């Protein structure tokens, strides 16, 4: 009952916050639909390019709508002492975070699937060969980045810095998964192999190829690391020293 | 039955000891006032009792539970109004209460909660548009939503207008009459005196006075004050006085008797004692007497 309540609260707050919506929905959706559309029309081999760019860009949805959104929301609520107030209710710490993570995950998955449908029609990007793996990888990736985003708040000293501090994360995730088109191919190979270890890269790889085992292991390990970090370092109240 | 038990509580922030070995008990159904100057350690004590912080030394029990170790169970049965906590600014008052009702077992109906807190007319207002006192009322509505067995109120009436304060007292008395145990902090000593049946005064993290309200006040001297008659030196008076400006102030366990003594002395000399003011000890006297600046 209480997890449902925090889930509902997280969703309600998300769709109500217009400024946040602009940043965490319009930007990634614009890129994820817009870039493939552009590629489709400027490149000779348009559909292949559009497909490539679309899958890369889903890493942006994961890292902006998933990671950045939860990191900003949680650090703001921490600094405004809202998390503290929530903790004065019957909710357990786990329910508070799980509700927030679950609502972030829903939004992220909905956007990725929405973008998939959109690019099918505007840029002729074919539906994935294995839709089950696509959805599972989206879900797994979304859970993973939301957990990591919650853990990341421990490193954010003040809420004003939250958005700025997540920029490098989504740049790296975006480039690493190929969202910036050919940019990835210009990088030295060791950088590329490091990028391949990112959870967003693993999720995108699974979505694109339908391969499941290795990406699932990658996501599970990152998620576990995030949970451990939350346990060790998550701060419910602003720093006072 | 003891509802709240604190023994030898020590709480440090780094090297600074904010609470230095505090012990007290609150019986079930009692209203207990925790008083003290700014920085005395009230909020720290409340936060330990509410399970937000763990004691560095000593033990606390609320309904027999360890509030930090058994937080889930303890929170189900307690309500907390923190001195400082945030709201979701974009939710309306009604939405906020509805949201909290989702988290609260056996919660009051929304309209009842709003009415009790005097917020019915603000139901549709966004929380960010509320005044300071209105926010405090909403705070109170949320803390009392689940009819808790133990209620912690950290400066519940700060910023409230006189009427809202009176409403709050009624609400708190009603909850206590229904069996709830209430621990509150306040800087309004008159409020504590009216509401609480027992108290502790903290000073610099230690208790300097504690006990039942009536007994503690009875043990404190009352006060007789009058304007010093012209041409009379203080040592001519039959009782020792201290001078506060042109007022002579005499502290006495039985202020009525002291007043009679002073009046008959004055009558014998053909003097009039003007500005005479006789009163039993107030909590404020006790407070100023015990807590050091
Ligand atoms: N997180 C903290 N870090 C360091 N010192 C703190 C912290 N919280 C409180 N203190 C210090 O501990 C002391 C007690 O603080 P506390 O908030 O318990 O006082 P209080 O009695 O509630 O005061 P007030 O009446 O002003 O609310 C103060 O001197 C305060 O500066
Ligand atoms: Mg305080």
């Amino acid at each position: 009952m209480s997890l449902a309540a925090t889930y509902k609260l997280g969703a309600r707050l998300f769709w109500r916050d217009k400024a946040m919506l602009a940043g965490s929905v319009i930007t990634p959706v614009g890129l994820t639909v817009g870039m493939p559309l552009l590629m489709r029309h400027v490149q000779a081999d348009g559909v292949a390019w559009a497909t490539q760019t679309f899958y890369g860009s889903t890493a942006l949805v994961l890292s902006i709508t998933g990671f950045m959104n939860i990191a900003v929301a949680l650090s703001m609520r921490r600094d405004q002492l809202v998390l503290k107030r929530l903790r004065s209710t019957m909710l357990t710490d786990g329910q508070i975070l799980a509700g927030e993570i679950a609502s972030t995950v829903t939004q992220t998955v909905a956007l990725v699937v929405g973008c998939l449908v959109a690019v099918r029609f505007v840029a002729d990007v074919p539906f994935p060969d294995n839709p089950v793996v696509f959805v599972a990888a989206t879900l797994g990736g979304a859970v993973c980045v939301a957990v990591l985003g919650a853990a990341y708040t421990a490193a954010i000293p003040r809420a004003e810095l939250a958005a700025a501090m997540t920029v490098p994360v989504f740049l790296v995730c975006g480039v690493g998964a190929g969202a910036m088109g050919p940019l990835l191919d210009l990088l030295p190979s060791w950088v590329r192999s490091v990028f391949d270890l990112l959870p967003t890269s693993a999720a995108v790889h699974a979505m694109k190829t339908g391969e499941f085992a290795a990406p699932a292991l990658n996501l599970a390990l990152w998620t576990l690391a995030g949970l451990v970090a939350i346990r060790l370092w998550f701060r419910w109240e602003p720093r006072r020293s | 039955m003891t509802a709240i038990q604190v023994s030898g509580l020590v709480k440090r922030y780094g090297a600074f000891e904010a609470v230095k070995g505090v012990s007290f008990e609150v019986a079930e159904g009692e209203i207990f006032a925790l008083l003290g100057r700014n920085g005395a350690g009230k909020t720290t004590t409340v936060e330990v009792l509410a399970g937000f912080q763990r004691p560095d030394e000593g033990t606390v029990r609320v309904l027999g539970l360890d509030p930090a170790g058994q937080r889930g169970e303890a929170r189900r049965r307690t309500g907390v109004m923190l001195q400082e906590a945030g709201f979701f600014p974009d939710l309306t008052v009604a939405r906020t209460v509805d949201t909290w009702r989702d988290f609260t077992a056996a919660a009051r109906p929304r309209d009842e909660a709003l009415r009790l807190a005097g917020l019915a007319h603000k139901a549709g207002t966004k929380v960010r548009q509320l005044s300071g006192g209105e926010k405090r009322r909403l705070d109170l509505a949320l803390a009392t939503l689940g009819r808790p067995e133990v209620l912690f109120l950290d400066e519940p009436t700060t910023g409230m207008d006189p009427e809202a304060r009176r409403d709050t007292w009624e609400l708190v008395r009603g909850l206590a009459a229904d069996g709830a145990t209430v621990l509150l902090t306040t800087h309004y000593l008159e409020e504590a005196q009216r509401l609480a049946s027992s108290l502790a005064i903290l000073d610099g993290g230690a208790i300097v006075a504690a006990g039942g309200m009536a007994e503690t006040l009875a043990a404190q001297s009352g006060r007789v004050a009058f304007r010093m008659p012209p041409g009379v030196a203080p040592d001519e008076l039959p009782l020792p006085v201290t001078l506060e400006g042109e007022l002579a102030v005499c502290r006495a366990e039985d202020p009525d008797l002291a007043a009679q003594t002073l009046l008959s002395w004055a009558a014998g000399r053909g003097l009039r004692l003007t500005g005479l003011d006789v009163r039993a000890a107030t909590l404020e006297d006790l407070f100023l007497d015990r807590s050091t600046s």
Side-chain angles (χ1 to χ4, degrees), chain B residues 84-292:
Chain B
E84 229 186 328
F87 293 102
F88 295 107
D90 291 317
L91 297 187
T92 63
V93 169
R95 261 272 192 264
T96 303
V97 173
D98 283 341
T99 302
W100 250 251
R101 291 185 74 249
D102 288 345
F103 307 152
T104 310
R108 292 174 199 283
R110 181 228 284 166
D111 293 341
E112 180 186 325
L114 289 179
R115 186 166 40 74
L116 282 175
L119 272 177
H121 63 296
K122 288 284 176 187
T125 306
K126 275 192 185 182
V127 171
R128 68 162 83 245
Q129 293 163 348
L130 293 181
S131 74
E134 285 164 350
K135 282 198 186 119
R136 217 58 195 136
R137 294 180 190 217
L138 181 57
D139 242 327
L140 184 69
L142 299 183
T144 56
L145 199 60
R147 302 174 226 257
E149 289 170 61
V150 173
L151 186 58
F152 298 109
L153 303 172
D154 197 357
E155 299 196 22
T157 61
T158 297
M160 285 188 183
D161 65 38
E163 198 187 326
R165 283 176 59 201
R166 258 155 239 275
D167 293 346
T168 304
W169 300 348
E170 276 321 301
L171 177 61
V172 170
R173 281 199 192 104
L175 289 166
D178 291 342
T181 308
V182 182
L183 181 148
L184 62 90
T185 78
T186 179
H187 289 293
Y188 302 108
L189 297 169
E190 173 218 348
E191 169 172 292
Q193 193 173 346
R194 287 191 186 206
L195 210 51
S197 54
S198 58
L199 78 153
I201 300 179
L202 280 178
D203 194 50
I207 291 190
V208 291
M213 184 69 71
E215 305 87 84
T216 310
L217 288 182
Q220 176 75 9
S221 0
R223 171 179 184 274
V224 182
F226 52 93
R227 222 163 272 134
M228 204 58 185
V232 177
D235 55 9
E236 290 174 55
L237 295 169
L239 295 171
V241 297
T242 51
L243 291 179
E244 293 177 5
E246 58 166 9
L247 277 187
V249 176
C250 170
R251 302 242 162 228
E253 246 159 60
D254 186 341
D256 298 323
L257 184 65
Q260 274 173 20
T261 311
L262 286 162
L263 282 170
S264 41
W265 169 85
R269 300 238 173 158
L271 292 170
R272 267 193 76 196
L273 290 188
T274 55
L276 188 65
D277 175 32
V278 184
R279 58 181 175 76
T282 62
L283 192 50
E284 187 158 336
D285 298 328
L286 176 71
F287 186 89
L288 293 174
D289 195 40
R290 300 298 169 87
S291 44
T292 51

Side-chain angles (χ1 to χ4, degrees), chain A residues 69-134:
Chain A
N69 187 37
I70 197 168
V72 171
L74 282 179
S75 40
M76 244 166 60
R77 286 173 205 160
R78 173 190 70 201
D79 285 12
Q80 294 171 344
L81 294 174
V82 174
L83 291 183
K84 186 169 183 178
R85 180 189 295 284
L86 285 173
R87 284 185 102 205
S88 74
T89 65
M90 290 178 195
L91 297 172
T92 63
D93 295 352
Q95 285 167 339
I96 297 173
L97 287 182
E100 192 76 46
I101 289 169
S103 67
T104 307
V105 167
T106 310
Q107 289 135 24
T108 310
V109 172
L111 286 183
V112 171
V113 172
C115 288
L116 174 71
V117 174
V119 292
R120 166 74 185 79
F121 291 104
V122 302
D124 305 318
V125 173
F127 280 134
D129 296 336
N130 192 335
V132 176
V133 171
F134 181 90

